[in-house]
Each structure stands twice: as structure tokens, then as C-alpha cells.
Amino acid sequence: MKFDLTPKKFSELQVEALVVYVFEKETELKGTIRDVDRVTGGLITSLLSTKELTGKPFEYAYARNPEGLQAKRIFVFGAGKKETFDLGQLRKLAGAIARTLRSKSILNFALLKRSAFDSAGAAQAVVEGIILAHFDIDRYKTDNEPKNPIQTVLLAGGDQARKPAILQAIERGRIVAEAQNFARELINEPSNKLTPTHLAERASVMAREFDLRIEILEREDMEKLGMGALLSVARGSEEPPKLIVLTYDPQGVEHPSKTIGLVGKGITFDTGGISLKPPEGMEKMKYDMSGAASMIAVMRALALLKPKVKVIAMVPTTENMPGGRAQKPGDVQTSMSGKTIEVINTDAEGRLVLSDAIAYVKKLGATHLIDMATLTGAVSIALGDVRVGVMGNHQKWMNAFLRAAEECGEKMWQLPMDEEYGDLIKSKIADLKNTGGRYASTITAAKFLEVFAGDTPWIHLDIAGTEWLEEAKPYCSEGPTGIGIRSVIQTVCTQR
Ligand code: BES
Ligand code: MN
Ligand code: ZN
């Protein structure tokens, strides 16, 4: 896919399609869009007056061989309400444009900018939207017609004086969105193909290609480190668990001021273990490694974006299976940190694998932590598929993260972490127990992790409600969303 900024006037672009957009209730056209209307003999005003187009998000109308243009077609898209149009909406609009044109085999087009945004920010959002729009979940269909990707996108109407910054923004957008799609491909893999061994292999191939350090710890290594919590989850499975450690070292920075530890939940399939889940919808539990795939994808992007801080990704990966040797409710496990855990429910396995990963990444020198996990069903009850539940122990680190999320258009919501919630996971037998009952279970899961994060600034993202889209949107396929990846990349890249 090629993206470029063109200095040409919209009427002189020799492309398959010129794409423009109008807002809802936009009766009086101004600026460039008015010029387009005038050159085409009032095409846009006529579409609006006949209500063939109302400006509602992602609806569109098009004409072939338009008057006054060298483009073969003109597409007019709806962009929604002008007052609420932001970079997030622009990213979605670009995605909808890409999916619409691609479905008609129109693979080269020019998009005419008309928003008041900074040209670089807008260019990045457009590139991201278009690349993200290319992901689909059907790779195992054998009778698919091969669908070609968009070939060339020209950004027209941008600020020529800012060309270097815009070209850089295009590159950033490409890196970030390709990382996101890389994660979505992994997440979409079924668990018979993507075992812990295979995930480790995919991470190794990526690390080699992007020049990152990687180490894969085996069961024996984890035993030596005393990772009783992580290994307790792996007991029921025939597939060997892996602990993937990826490291990014900034070049030319003597003593990086921060080492950021990124931890991702990598349960390649969650049956619930002995506390078996009901069959209904269990097939979805292949995506219980989304946090893992996301953090591996973040490292892929960081290798190219080269931030100034050191970053270690710690990815514990295993299946959660019932079996003759599986752990049982009531078992007590000793975690690497020394803390003992009473396992009430073997289906609360995510926090077990994460607790040892958090302890180990701290031991390797992490000064700041972010973990990402499909941790609780309850987060969907609280926030649906709209916002990611975010919890932490350090408001300054939290604010840095929330600002980054806002900047890249990912919706988050901070949940409270009052001490009282911690009372729900006190055990009579061990230091803590792995479930706190139904009440506030997204928060009690985070309270469990907080014990292991200790004083280290830490943020926890529960993406169980937002990682899988049940129905396609005009700008995006159903299936894995890759939510959170952009925010983590942005957070790391704004540290010094
Ligand atoms: N992987 C699940 C959480 C989940 C549920 C993710 C639905 C995506 C969709 C997690 O391991 C789990 O089973 N959590 C339990 C915790 C409970 C036993 C305390 C849950 O949320 O029900
Ligand atoms: Mn579970
Ligand atoms: Zn799980």
C-alpha cells in the first residue's frame, strides 16, 4: 500500500476515485468542498437536496465520469456531525472508505482533506484507518475470491509546507496499524494452530526480523524461578507452557531513565480447567491470548519507532485445561514472589499467570508496568464493548496512559481501586485467594494483581469486553480489534 501527499489540485488527479465528505445538516458548503461542488456542476448540492446523501456517518453516494474532474469517479461520504468530528471519527471514516472502495475493486483513490486538524495528525489517522480496514477473519476459508489490497492513496488538500512531518506521520500510522493487524491475525488463530509453542515461535520470527532480543523460558526454567502460580495453570495441559521475554534497548541512551515492563495474558485456550466453563460460546476462548499478542505487537512497533526508554515484554503462555494432573479448587500455590494463593476457581487463571510474570519483570528491572488481559467477563457487564476497563496503583502513571489513549482514539474508563475491594480476596488459609465472588469482580481481579505490582507504578487493562467485535462495522471487520495496542505504544513513545 502506497500513501503520498499530492500538491495537485483535486480536479487534476488522475485516479480511479476522488473521495470527499460532507457533514450532517451541512446546507451551506464552504471552502474546498464548495469548489468541488462548483467544478462538478453542483453534484454535491444536488445529492444533498434530493436526500440521496444526508451526511450520516459512512453512508455514501457516487458518480462515474464526473464533470470537471480527471478522476474516473467521485465518492461523497457522510462524516457525521461536524461538532463531534475528531481524529477518531476521521480514522473510522477512512476505514469505511477503504472497505467500500475495496469491495468495488477500486484500489487507487485520492482523499480530499477538509478538516481543521493538523495535517500530520490527520494523515496518521487516515493511514491507520485504511490499514486497519484490511483485516478480515476468514483466512481459513478455502473458497475465497482473493481480495486485493488498496494500492495507492493520495492525500490531497494537505499543507505542502509540512510535507516532511506529514510523511513521517504516514510512516508512524503504517507502523502502528500494521502492528495492530499483526496482533489481530494471532488472536484470530484457533487454539489447535496457535499453541503456546507456536506463539513463542511467531514471537521469535518477529524478534529476528525486527532485531529485538528474545528469550523463551521452558517449564524447567520456570520451576527454577519458583513460578508456582503460572505453572499451576499449565498442569492440566499436554502442551508445554512458555514464558516469552522480549527486550528493546534504546540505542545511544547510556542509562535509560525508565524500564517499562509490558505483561500480556497468553492463555491460548481457556476451558476454565476443573472449574469447567459451559459449552455455550466456549469457542471464543481462543482469544484469551489477546493481551499476549498485543504486547508482542507493541514490541514490533517499538522496534521501528525507537523510543528512548528500555522496554521488556513478559508474556506467560499456556492452555488452561482440565486433566488428571490439573490443579483443583482448594489447592494452594506458592508464587514466585513468595506469596501463597488459595485457588478457589481454576477459571480465574489469568491473574495466576500474570502474577508471576509481573514479579519476574520487576526482578529484571522494570520501573513501570502495564499489563493487558482478557481477564473478566464482568468488564463487559460494566462497560460493554465500548470502553476498556483500566485500573492502577499510581495516578500520575495512569494519567500519562489515559492522555495517550485519548490521543490515539482508544476509549478507556478508569475503575476505582479502594482498599475495601481488597478485603474480598483475603483467604483464611493462604495469603490471598484467586476469586472474590461476583461483586466487583473486575476490580477484585485487579486488586489481586496489585499485590504483585507492589509499589511499582502499574496499569492494568481488562480488554475482555472490547477485544472481540461481534458484528462488523462499516470501517472494521468483526473479530479481534487489537484495542489497547495504540495506547500502549503512544504511552511508551512519550516517555523519556
Ligand atoms: N478468560 C476469562 C475471562 C473472559 C470471559 C474473557 C469472557 C472474555 C470473555 C477469565 O479467565 C475468566 O474465566 N474469568 C472468570 C473469573 C471468575 C471465575 C472469577 C469470569 O470472568 O467469569
Ligand atoms: Mn478463565
Ligand atoms: Zn481466561
Side-chain angles (χ1 to χ4, degrees):
M1 234 174 296
K2 267 172 55 189
F3 295 92
D4 203 1
L5 180 71
T6 176
K8 284 195 184 156
K9 199 170 176 297
F10 66 82
S11 52
E12 267 131 47
L13 295 165
Q14 293 177 340
V15 284
E16 292 291 317
L18 173 70
V19 183
V20 300
Y21 50 94
V22 293
F23 297 106
E24 266 172 64
K25 307 212 176 72
E26 191 173 10
T27 40
E28 203 190 325
L29 300 178
K30 285 194 206 119
T32 10
I33 195 80
R34 186 163 127 239
D35 299 341
V36 176
D37 189 49
R38 209 179 280 158
V39 167
T40 57
L43 180 71
I44 298 173
T45 32
S46 110
L47 286 170
L48 289 170
S49 67
T50 57
K51 300 247 168 27
E52 278 167 271
L53 195 72
T54 65
K56 289 223 166 55
F58 320 130
E59 78 173 15
Y60 66 92
Y62 74 102
R64 310 175 110 259
N65 307 318
E67 187 186 326
L69 301 181
Q70 299 200 20
K72 288 194 193 142
R73 302 170 190 80
I74 180 166
F75 274 75
V76 189
F77 271 79
K81 297 201 170 60
K82 186 163 193 177
E83 310 80 64
T84 52
F85 192 73
D86 57 7
L87 286 180
Q89 195 61 24
L90 178 62
R91 187 183 292 101
K92 289 178 182 166
L93 177 63
I97 292 167
R99 283 178 82 83
T100 304
L101 270 60
R102 198 173 167 220
S103 74
K104 301 182 189 303
S105 297
I106 300 170
L107 302 179
N108 103 56
F109 67 90
L111 176 61
L112 184 60
K113 176 181 188 283
R114 59 171 303 206
S115 55
F117 308 127
D118 158 62
S119 295
Q124 184 174 340
V126 165
V127 171
E128 288 171 2
I130 292 171
I131 293 175
L132 293 173
H134 279 70
F135 172 78
D136 263 304
I137 56 170
D138 56 2
R139 65 164 297 202
Y140 287 109
K141 278 186 173 290
T142 56
D143 57 355
N144 266 355
E145 294 253 333
K147 237 188 353 175
N148 292 321
I150 303 272
Q151 285 163 354
T152 322
V153 180
L154 294 178
L155 305 178
D159 184 355
Q160 287 300 319
R162 302 209 49 217
K163 186 153 186 175
I166 293 171
L167 293 181
Q168 219 180 353
I170 289 173
E171 255 344 275
R172 277 188 70 89
R174 186 197 300 276
I175 291 167
V176 170
E178 283 179 354
Q180 210 172 322
N181 281 352
F182 171 76
R184 293 162 92 193
E185 289 291 349
L186 291 175
I187 295 166
N188 191 45
E189 288 287 339
S191 73
N192 63 323
K193 310 257 184 215
L194 195 110
T195 59
T197 304
H198 187 76
L199 181 61
E201 185 53 37
R202 294 287 291 262
S204 301
V205 170
M206 184 281 286
R208 221 171 300 137
E209 186 179 345
F210 292 87
D211 210 15
L212 290 162
R213 267 197 286 145
I214 187 164
E215 198 185 347
I216 313 285
L217 277 68
E218 305 293 334
R219 191 194 299 270
E220 306 75 62
D221 306 314
M222 295 181 242
E223 274 163 6
K224 278 187 203 129
L225 288 164
M227 296 181 162
L230 200 178
L231 289 171
S232 77
V233 177
R235 289 183 62 90
S237 174
E238 296 287 328
E239 289 291 339
K242 306 278 168 178
L243 181 58
I244 304 167
V245 190
L246 283 159
T247 308
Y248 163 80
D249 272 305
Q251 293 302 303
V253 183
E254 270 298 328
H255 299 287
S257 63
K258 286 180 183 141
T259 298
I260 300 182
L262 305 177
V263 180
K265 173 177 172 181
I267 303 296
T268 58
F269 196 81
D270 182 10
T271 66
I274 294 299
S275 314
L276 196 62
K277 285 182 184 295
E280 173 105 4
M282 205 207 269
E283 71 283 355
K284 282 269 299 285
M285 283 301 118
K286 68 174 187 178
Y287 89 104
D288 214 15
M289 36 58 73
S290 300
S294 299
M295 290 312 196
I296 295 169
V298 166
M299 295 303 279
R300 183 187 193 271
L302 295 180
L304 298 170
L305 294 170
K306 307 196 187 309
K308 299 248 176 298
V309 290
K310 180 172 171 174
V311 187
I312 306 172
M314 183 67 61
V315 175
T317 175
T318 172
E319 290 181 331
N320 184 26
M321 297 285 285
R325 294 183 54 78
Q327 73 172 331
K328 304 164 290 293
D331 287 1
V332 174
Q333 308 295 359
T334 303
S335 69
M336 181 182 163
S337 71
K339 290 248 178 322
T340 55
I341 303 161
E342 183 189 6
V343 177
I344 300 293
N345 189 324
T346 64
D347 197 10
E349 84 296 343
R351 64 201 76 180
L352 295 175
V353 302
L354 293 173
S355 63
D356 277 339
I358 289 173
Y360 189 45
V361 80
K362 275 170 61 179
K363 193 173 165 196
L364 295 187
T367 59
H368 293 72
L369 302 168
I370 306 177
D371 82 70
M372 212 194 288
T374 45
L375 204 60
T376 66
V379 78
S380 327
I381 307 296
L383 302 172
D385 66 0
V386 181
R387 281 179 187 262
V388 175
V390 190
M391 289 140 276
N393 63 356
H394 191 278
Q395 200 55 40
K396 204 173 151 212
W397 182 226
M398 175 67 75
N399 291 342
F401 177 79
L402 293 176
R403 195 179 325 114
E406 179 86 38
E407 282 164 7
C408 46
E410 292 190 316
K411 292 186 179 178
M412 309 278 165
W413 197 257
Q414 186 178 358
L415 299 176
M417 286 284 277
D418 302 86
E419 243 178 80
E420 291 92 322
Y421 292 114
D423 296 342
L424 297 170
I425 51 167
K426 284 187 177 148
S427 164
K428 289 185 179 156
I429 314 200
D431 295 334
L432 68 168
K433 54 184 181 182
N434 80 330
T435 66
R438 274 160 43 81
Y439 283 5
S441 64
T442 298
I443 298 172
T444 52
K447 290 306 274 187
F448 183 97
L449 299 178
E450 186 182 34
V451 170
F452 299 89
D455 297 333
T456 309
W458 154 80
I459 294 162
H460 161 61
L461 307 181
D462 193 334
I463 56 171
T466 42
E467 181 55 60
W468 194 276
L469 200 63
E470 290 296 339
E471 262 179 75
K473 307 259 189 202
Y475 52 87
C476 168
S477 156
E478 66 187 288
T481 59
I483 187 83
I485 294 173
R486 292 204 301 273
S487 300
V488 175
I489 294 171
Q490 179 76 357
T491 305
V492 173
C493 289
T494 46
Q495 300 303 310
R496 50 194 70 253

